[in-house]
Amino acid sequence: MLRTRVPIMHNNRLLLVLLLALLLLASLLFGASLGLASQGWDAYDTGQRLTIEAPLKQVLYRRPQTEVRVDYRGAEWNVVLGSSSRLLSRGVIRNDLRPGRPVILVGYPRKDGSAEMRAERLILDGRTLELR
């Protein structure tokens, strides 16, 4: 009986190529999901600046963005501040953002008219923090 042998080296190369292909596919899918998750500036009307002075109602530390909720003009507004690491690099610590804390938020409302704003500036106790 004749047996054909596939060299071990060939099997290892094939396995390595398949593993690299899977890693590439996983990284592409992960990158695409991050792109979909981030909220870009194009959804907001940068021609219309909005200033909200109100106490924080709720603080949400989420990935990829930190968000706060405030009552403004009879509606609950969601305000996107940016990533936690960006806030920290601008001098905002977790204790700075807490329910009941009065703040001034300067930013841009969503183009679709929903009660959401992307903050460009946060004013806490007279400290002006640029978030963009």
Side-chain angles (χ1 to χ4, degrees):
M1 184 186 310
L2 245 172
R3 288 189 192 193
T4 52
R5 288 183 140 199
V6 177
I8 293 174
M9 192 65 150
H10 179 69
N11 285 342
N12 286 343
R13 283 186 188 159
L14 182 61
L15 185 60
L16 182 61
V17 168
L18 286 173
L19 183 60
L20 289 173
L22 284 173
L23 283 172
L24 178 63
L25 178 63
S27 66
L28 288 173
L29 290 174
F30 181 71
S33 68
L34 285 179
L36 292 174
S38 71
Q39 297 174 339
W41 283 96
D42 56 338
Y44 300 91
D45 184 358
T46 56
Q48 182 183 358
R49 180 171 281 161
L50 181 63
T51 300
I52 296 175
E53 187 170 349
L56 296 175
K57 185 174 183 175
Q58 186 177 20
V59 180
L60 304 163
Y61 291 97
R62 300 181 176 173
R63 288 189 189 262
Q65 312 272 14
T66 299
E67 300 172 12
V68 295
R69 301 238 166 93
V70 294
D71 288 327
Y72 179 68
R73 292 186 181 168
E76 183 178 275
W77 279 66
N78 185 56
V79 181
V80 178
L81 299 179
S83 69
S84 297
S85 61
R86 176 174 285 168
L87 290 172
L88 187 59
S89 73
R90 303 300 195 268
V92 180
I93 59 173
R94 205 173 259 261
N95 192 38
D96 285 335
L97 301 176
R98 61 183 182 276
R101 179 95 188 251
V103 297
I104 300 172
L105 301 156
V106 180
Y108 306 103
R110 281 189 68 91
K111 290 178 181 176
D112 66 8
S114 62
E116 182 174 289
M117 176 176 100
R118 177 130 185 192
E120 179 177 74
R121 192 169 295 117
L122 169 66
I123 302 170
L124 288 167
D125 297 328
R127 284 188 304 160
T128 300
L129 304 158
E130 299 296 329
L131 302 177
R132 193 166 180 186

